[in-house]
Amino acid sequence: MSSPAPSLPLRWHLVRLAVGTLLPAVVFAAVVVFQLARLERKDAERRVVRSARSLATAFEREMSGSIRTLQALAESGYLDRGELESFHSEAERVRRTQPAWKHVLLISTDGQLLLNTSHPWGAPLPPVAEQESFVRVVETHQPIVGGIATGKGPRRATAFPVRVPVMRGGALRYVLTAVITPESLEEVVANPSSGNEEWTRTLVDSQGMVAARTRDPSRFVGQRATSSFQENTRASLEGVYSDVSLDGAPVYVAFSRSQPSDWTAAVVSPRRILDAPVLDAMLAAGGLGLVLLFASAGGAWVYSRRLERSITQASDAAAALARGNPPHMEPSSVRELAQLGEALERSGQLLRERERERDANLAAAETARAEAVEATQAKDVFLAMLGHELRNPLAPIVTSMEVLRRRGLAQTPEHEVISRQLRHVVRLVDDLLDMARLARGQLSLRCEPLELSSAVTRAVEAAIPLITQRRHVLETHVSASGLPVLADADRLTQVIANLLTNSAKYTPSGGRIQLRAGERDGGIELVVEDNGQGLAPELVPRLFQPFVQGARTLERSEGGLGIGLALVRSLVEAHGGHVEAHSEGPGLGSRFTVWLPRHTRAEAPLPEEPRQEPVASEAETGPGNRVRVLVVDDNVDAAETLAELLAMSGYETAVAHDCPGALTRAETFRPDVALLDIGLPVVDGYGVAERIRERLGESSPVFAALTGFSQDGDRSRSQAAGFRHHFVKPIDIDELLAFVESLRPARSGAA
């Protein structure tokens, strides 16, 4: 690169160019245009505002005459004596003297129309139109000019009322009204008071309806003025602003709001009329400026070419940089342009380096994203299969425990320990699957109106075994009624039970737990408070996140996966509420507060009846009357124990472990009910049900699904396949027996 030529700062080149070409013309044009525009515009605005003010004054004068005539009529002795028929004739005579009046009305203070001069005395009268001005007269006892109202007849005639109060003894007795047609205002608006700059003169009522107009009145009278007109005229009593007319033309609007009628008089002028002086001044200034510009441009032409060439090179170099090519510039006499060339070269080098880094980072990010998506999908599949695989072995264990209980062999402390720990495992599985559903947005609610106390009662029943085991004292202060919420009863019970269980686990034996509820901030507040180990301040903000737990000892005596409180927050927020945690510190207990929206109505909690196991009568348990149940499950232990439990409950049972066995047993056993495991090998439960229907036809049993899958999609699929019930492993024994027993009175045939 050759040595750069001597250069000056770019600002000096620009100053010389501006002084030599544009500055004289710009200064001269600015001074002339400003002075002309300021003087001519202000004078024109004053003229049109005066014209609008005179129009408003003329309207008020016209309305004052009508008001005085009505006030004189209001002094009629007929009104004192209540001779309304005679007053009807007198009002008609007065109306004929007033060309602008359409008819006269007399209205009682309660809004009843007593007479209307357009109707014969005694004829049925229509209701009072335009109620707002009538109400204002009743409230203020002052004359009022009402707004434009459109009739309900086929002609859709428009009119506006002028109302005056009829006072007797200081009290309002009647409201006397003259109904005036907008046509009577044509002479008012058709009397210009200024020069030819006016285009349209308009009267607009207090509600923004066009009452009179010099231009196309038949087209616009009775229509609402533009929103911009109403906004500007309400902001001040007088003024001028630019707008678009109802015709769609650009105009200036000068307005004046009359008092006390609160109508608005407007003078609308085309913008070209007010802007003409300014435009003329601008043209004059522009012409002179052009002359000066051409004179200065000739002297700057030679010098500007050199500057133009350097700027063009800089532009080409920047374009090359944008395309990814190395920029190149010749040495320039302008210092800033020379520096710009050097900066573009350095930028090109840095850009190539950044592009290489960006490509590497993008590749790494895409790889990480693909791995994260794959891991998320694998996690979802794993959680679903984990729930199914855990429920399958739990099912025979739960059923076996129930069999032992019915045989009277489950009364030992060891059996109680097994039952308690088994319930804990089932709850952990349910919580884990619920958390997976929430993460995928698949957890749905079945909300209905209910009393909070009903959910509290069920939650206490669920948590009381743990509370009793740890010898806690539970205090409950929840009203049986008056706390209505719109909620999913099962999920709300789960929220309260999780909070009670959490307090029980983290409170030393012999502690105190308090559960109370009441109204707060327009909603329902439920509080669970304990005197347990409390919360560290740094833990509180993260407490409701999944898998976050307080400090644990090595033996993990509290148990749990750290998802109970995360479920609480997700379920409460799904109900439109929120949950908060508070603690004074470690060892000082904790308090959890749930707020839910109050519902306007709720069903009163029904008293819970003691659950009874179905007991078959002697006639029903006879060989010919016993309900026959076919259990099909590839888990031999689960099938055998469930069949044994059903047999102990008075039902005749048969067992199969695959599709061929199920078809054979169905043909020979002829069951009334078939409990089918959905996850059978080779042919699943849906296929087994379909094949049984093909063989037995109308003699097919009622089908119920028996599965470890519990998502809403699984329930919907089993229902669509004709299954009457969807039982999730491990089965609620009482629910199963109640379902089978419900089929005893009359079987409906195939499901």
Side-chain angles (χ1 to χ4, degrees):
M1 180 182 293
S2 59
S3 59
S7 62
L8 291 173
L10 179 61
R11 61 179 177 270
W12 291 111
H13 297 276
L14 295 179
V15 167
R16 285 188 294 177
L17 182 61
V19 170
T21 58
L22 299 178
L23 186 59
V26 170
V27 172
F28 177 79
V31 172
V32 172
V33 170
F34 177 77
Q35 292 296 333
L36 289 175
R38 185 173 63 86
L39 297 176
E40 292 293 331
R41 185 60 175 273
K42 286 186 176 296
D43 184 62
E45 287 182 358
R46 284 194 296 268
R47 290 198 303 271
V48 294
V49 169
R50 283 197 303 269
S51 180
R53 189 184 308 134
S54 67
L55 176 58
T57 302
F59 171 75
E60 283 298 327
R61 188 183 309 115
E62 184 73 15
M63 292 302 101
S64 296
S66 294
I67 290 173
R68 286 194 298 271
T69 304
L70 281 175
Q71 288 173 334
L73 182 59
E75 299 298 327
S76 173
Y78 293 126
L79 294 180
D80 296 336
R81 297 187 295 272
E83 299 175 3
L84 299 186
E85 184 175 0
S86 299
F87 181 76
H88 182 279
S89 300
E90 183 180 3
E92 175 61 21
R93 288 194 300 272
V94 173
R95 184 199 67 77
R96 287 195 292 269
T97 67
Q98 300 294 320
W101 292 10
K102 186 175 182 181
H103 47 266
V104 178
L105 311 176
L106 184 65
I107 310 169
S108 64
T109 56
D110 59 359
Q112 181 180 0
L113 185 59
L114 302 178
L115 64 84
N116 184 334
T117 59
S118 64
H119 292 72
W121 173 256
L125 301 178
V128 176
E130 212 279 298
Q131 291 280 345
E132 182 179 350
S133 62
F134 170 76
V135 173
R136 290 171 57 194
V137 172
V138 173
E139 292 177 350
T140 64
H141 296 179
Q142 297 295 324
I144 295 294
V145 179
I148 292 292
T150 303
K152 298 183 179 179
R155 297 179 57 190
R156 306 293 291 173
T158 57
F160 64 94
V162 176
R163 307 186 193 274
V164 298
V166 179
M167 309 296 294
R168 293 294 185 269
L172 179 67
R173 189 169 180 180
Y174 304 105
V175 174
L176 187 59
T177 300
V179 178
I180 301 177
T181 61
E183 289 79 3
S184 64
L185 300 176
E186 290 180 357
E187 294 184 0
V188 176
V189 297
N191 182 25
S193 59
S194 56
N196 59 5
E197 77 277 2
E198 296 181 354
W199 180 37
T200 305
R201 294 160 60 83
T202 305
L203 282 174
V204 179
D205 70 9
S206 58
Q207 303 302 318
M209 303 294 292
V210 177
R213 197 171 190 267
T214 56
R215 190 179 182 89
D216 293 338
S218 59
R219 178 183 174 189
F220 296 109
V221 170
Q223 289 192 17
R224 186 169 295 278
T226 63
S227 58
S228 59
F229 178 87
Q230 298 183 54
E231 180 180 352
N232 283 279
T233 56
R234 290 300 168 193
S236 61
L237 293 177
E238 286 186 348
V240 179
Y241 72 97
S242 61
D243 201 350
V244 177
S245 69
L246 292 173
D247 302 277
V251 294
Y252 286 110
V253 180
F255 65 90
S256 176
R257 201 159 74 242
S258 65
Q259 298 297 328
S261 65
D262 201 32
W263 282 42
T264 303
V267 176
V268 182
S269 302
R271 292 187 189 176
R272 57 180 175 76
I273 294 178
L274 290 182
D275 292 343
V278 178
L279 292 176
D280 293 342
M282 291 179 63
L283 289 175
L288 182 58
L290 286 175
V291 172
L292 296 177
L293 178 62
F294 284 125
S296 60
W301 172 256
V302 176
Y303 180 77
S304 63
R305 292 185 61 186
R306 185 186 306 172
L307 184 61
E308 179 184 2
R309 187 165 49 252
S310 297
I311 294 176
T312 301
Q313 290 180 359
S315 176
D316 294 340
L321 179 62
R323 293 191 297 268
N325 300 325
H328 175 71
M329 282 186 62
E330 294 295 333
S332 174
S333 61
V334 181
R335 180 182 303 168
E336 283 76 3
L337 289 176
Q339 294 174 349
L340 175 61
E342 297 174 359
L344 286 174
E345 292 181 0
R346 290 194 301 270
S347 298
Q349 297 174 357
L350 291 175
L351 182 59
R352 288 189 290 273
E353 294 176 1
R354 295 296 183 268
E355 286 179 347
R356 289 192 293 269
E357 295 177 0
R358 182 201 61 190
D359 293 341
N361 292 334
L362 286 176
E366 183 61 26
T367 301
R369 188 192 67 82
E371 292 176 352
V373 170
E374 183 179 354
T376 299
Q377 294 174 346
K379 178 201 69 175
D380 293 341
V381 173
F382 169 75
L383 287 176
M385 293 305 301
L386 175 65
H388 180 267
E389 296 303 321
L390 288 176
R391 291 182 188 276
N392 274 332
L394 288 175
I397 298 174
V398 171
T399 307
S400 298
M401 292 297 297
E402 180 64 18
V403 170
L404 291 175
R405 187 184 68 80
R406 289 174 178 257
R407 288 178 176 175
L409 302 177
Q411 306 301 321
T412 64
E414 290 79 7
H415 282 91
E416 291 298 324
V417 171
I418 295 173
S419 297
R420 186 166 55 251
Q421 297 303 320
L422 186 58
R423 287 193 299 271
H424 183 62
V425 172
V426 171
R427 184 178 61 80
L428 290 177
V429 173
D430 290 339
D431 284 353
L432 185 62
L433 295 180
D434 281 345
M435 203 64 216
R437 293 190 194 101
L438 283 170
R440 297 193 300 272
Q442 296 178 348
L443 187 65
S444 60
L445 301 178
R446 298 180 178 86
C447 294
E448 58 184 359
L450 56 89
E451 284 288 346
L452 182 64
S453 58
S454 61
V456 169
T457 301
R458 294 172 58 190
V460 170
E461 289 180 356
I464 201 64
L466 178 61
I467 294 174
T468 303
Q469 176 194 357
R470 298 180 70 89
R471 300 189 303 279
H472 296 319
V473 176
L474 174 62
E475 301 176 4
T476 304
H477 304 284
V478 180
S479 174
S481 61
L483 300 175
V485 293
L486 183 66
D488 184 317
D490 293 335
R491 294 303 183 183
L492 184 56
T493 299
Q494 183 180 5
V495 167
I496 303 172
N498 277 8
L499 292 176
L500 289 173
T501 302
N502 184 77
S503 290
K505 289 192 300 184
Y506 289 93
T507 299
S509 297
R512 178 183 59 81
I513 301 174
Q514 187 180 77
L515 172 62
R516 61 182 184 273
E519 298 185 12
R520 182 177 73 87
D521 296 340
I524 306 299
E525 180 183 77
L526 181 137
V527 179
V528 177
E529 188 172 5
D530 60 63
N531 61 348
Q533 69 182 46
L535 302 169
E538 65 273 9
L539 179 63
V540 173
R542 302 182 296 110
L543 190 61
F544 293 101
Q545 298 176 6
F547 313 114
V548 173
Q549 295 175 303
R552 294 293 188 88
T553 56
L554 292 177
E555 70 274 10
R556 289 180 55 86
S557 60
E558 293 85 1
L561 299 175
I563 60 178
L565 292 180
L567 271 174
V568 166
R569 183 185 67 175
S570 298
L571 291 173
V572 169
E573 290 178 351
H575 282 84
H578 57 265
V579 60
E580 300 174 351
H582 176 76
S583 176
E584 298 295 335
L588 299 177
S590 58
R591 180 175 71 253
F592 292 85
T593 304
V594 174
W595 185 91
L596 295 171
R598 180 184 179 87
H599 190 58
T600 55
R601 294 180 302 160
E603 298 176 356
L606 298 176
E608 297 194 0
E609 299 179 357
R611 301 176 65 176
Q612 299 180 354
E613 297 177 5
V615 179
S617 64
E618 293 182 2
E620 293 172 337
T621 57
N625 296 324
R626 298 173 66 188
V627 177
R628 295 184 297 277
V629 183
L630 173 62
V631 180
V632 183
D633 196 333
D634 60 324
N635 188 322
V636 177
D637 291 338
E640 297 293 343
T641 54
L642 183 57
E644 182 178 359
L645 177 61
L646 290 170
M648 294 176 62
S649 299
Y651 305 111
E652 188 175 351
T653 62
V655 177
H657 304 297
D658 53 21
C659 180
L663 296 177
T664 301
R665 297 296 285 164
E667 289 184 333
T668 59
F669 183 60
R670 295 287 177 166
D672 300 302
V673 184
L675 303 177
L676 304 182
D677 180 19
I678 299 300
L680 292 173
V682 184
V683 179
D684 61 15
Y686 301 120
V688 172
E690 183 177 357
R691 286 166 173 75
I692 292 177
R693 289 193 188 97
E694 292 174 353
R695 293 196 179 189
L696 301 186
E698 295 183 356
S699 300
S700 299
V702 173
F703 294 104
L706 188 66
T707 177
F709 295 108
S710 61
Q711 299 184 15
D712 291 339
D714 302 318
R715 297 179 185 273
S716 300
R717 184 181 177 188
S718 66
Q719 183 179 7
F723 284 74
R724 186 77 61 81
H725 205 290
H726 188 100
F727 291 101
V728 179
K729 299 178 182 180
I731 298 177
D732 185 327
I733 304 301
D734 292 335
E735 182 182 2
L736 172 63
L737 296 180
F739 168 72
V740 176
E741 189 64 22
S742 68
L743 303 176
R744 185 186 296 278
R747 262 186 71 236
S748 60

